[in-house]
Amino acid sequence: MNSAPLLPPGTSVAVIGAGRLGTVLARALEEAGLDVTGPIRRGESIPDADVALLAVPDAAIPGAADVARPHARLIGHASGATGLDDVDFSVHPLQTFTGSEPATVFHGIGAAIDGRDIDALDMAEQLARALGALPFRVHGRQRRAYHASASIASNLLLAVLDAAEQVAGSAGIHPDEARELLAPLVRQTVENWVDRGAAEALTGPIARGDEETVARQRAAIADDDPDLIPLFDELCDSTRALAARTENPA
């Protein structure tokens, strides 16, 4: 998209919400040269500002926007799934946060933006660029699918990695050691996916059509971690479909 003008130094931003994202956002925007107040916790007073940026749970956005409206020219939120019913714009950093990251965590990542009008959209883009992120627009009707994609790539992936850690434990490998040993495999798999896409990156027994090995894996999980069998079966079915795409490309 076209680059909006950079925000002038001293632009005032009130970051509302002192959770993981709000904490990092406030730190990064301040280091970018903006006049930042926050992160502001629930019940604390909100100063007058050019922008109020809400980093609160989705359900709290309407109430927080109402409280902030008298104090800011524009109000935005940092939610990936919520529309613009209560705010003027949105900026959703496409990253996972613990709250302890340095300001540079935003550098080079994507940031989904949207705005009610050109002024609000420009503000969303300028804030994203001030963070060092790469803005791309996601329209309201597309937000649910966009956020679902992000959740699959991050939140749901952790459920798969946790299952791998549990099964490694059944093989006598301590959880800390399992994560250390499996991490290079996970990283390389992700790099292969980035470079080539999932179908071409796929390796292992299902890709080779070695169902006997898959059956032995399933039996081991059934013996020691039976609660993981439904997940294992679903993942194997999805992987077979992925392998079939490689064999029979559209």
Side-chain angles (χ1 to χ4, degrees), residues 75-230:
I75 297 177
H77 65 55
S79 167
T82 304
L84 303 181
D85 292 344
D86 301 288
V87 300
D88 303 302
F89 68 88
S90 63
V91 180
H92 178 254
L94 189 52
Q95 184 56 280
T96 181
F97 299 93
T98 66
S100 61
E101 293 85 359
T104 53
V105 69
F106 297 100
H107 291 187
I109 71 169
I113 66 171
D114 198 11
R116 285 179 173 269
D117 54 35
I118 190 63
D119 185 38
L121 184 62
D122 280 352
M123 178 58 73
E125 182 179 353
Q126 291 170 49
L127 285 172
R129 294 190 183 280
L131 291 168
L134 306 175
F136 61 97
R137 189 170 188 182
V138 178
H139 295 273
R141 64 184 180 275
Q142 301 167 325
R143 297 185 71 84
R144 291 182 300 175
Y146 155 74
H147 199 248
S149 172
S151 292
I152 292 169
S154 179
N155 311 138
L156 303 189
L157 176 60
L158 287 175
V160 175
L161 296 177
D162 183 65
E165 184 180 325
Q166 290 182 57
V167 176
S170 298
I173 305 173
H174 187 274
D176 290 344
E177 185 180 7
R179 292 194 297 275
E180 183 178 353
L181 292 170
L182 291 170
L185 174 62
V186 174
R187 293 189 183 103
Q188 189 60 55
T189 301
V190 171
E191 288 301 320
N192 293 347
W193 167 70
V194 171
D195 290 341
R196 306 175 64 182
E200 288 192 27
L202 182 63
T203 63
I206 291 178
R208 297 191 299 267
D210 184 0
E211 289 294 336
E212 183 177 343
T213 295
V214 176
R216 288 199 298 268
Q217 293 174 342
R218 189 182 191 280
I221 294 171
D223 287 343
D224 298 318
D225 301 283
D227 290 348
L228 295 177
I229 283 294

Side-chain angles (χ1 to χ4, degrees), residues 46-63:
I46 300 172
D48 291 341
D50 297 313
V51 179
L53 184 58
L54 312 181
V56 300
D58 289 6
I61 288 174

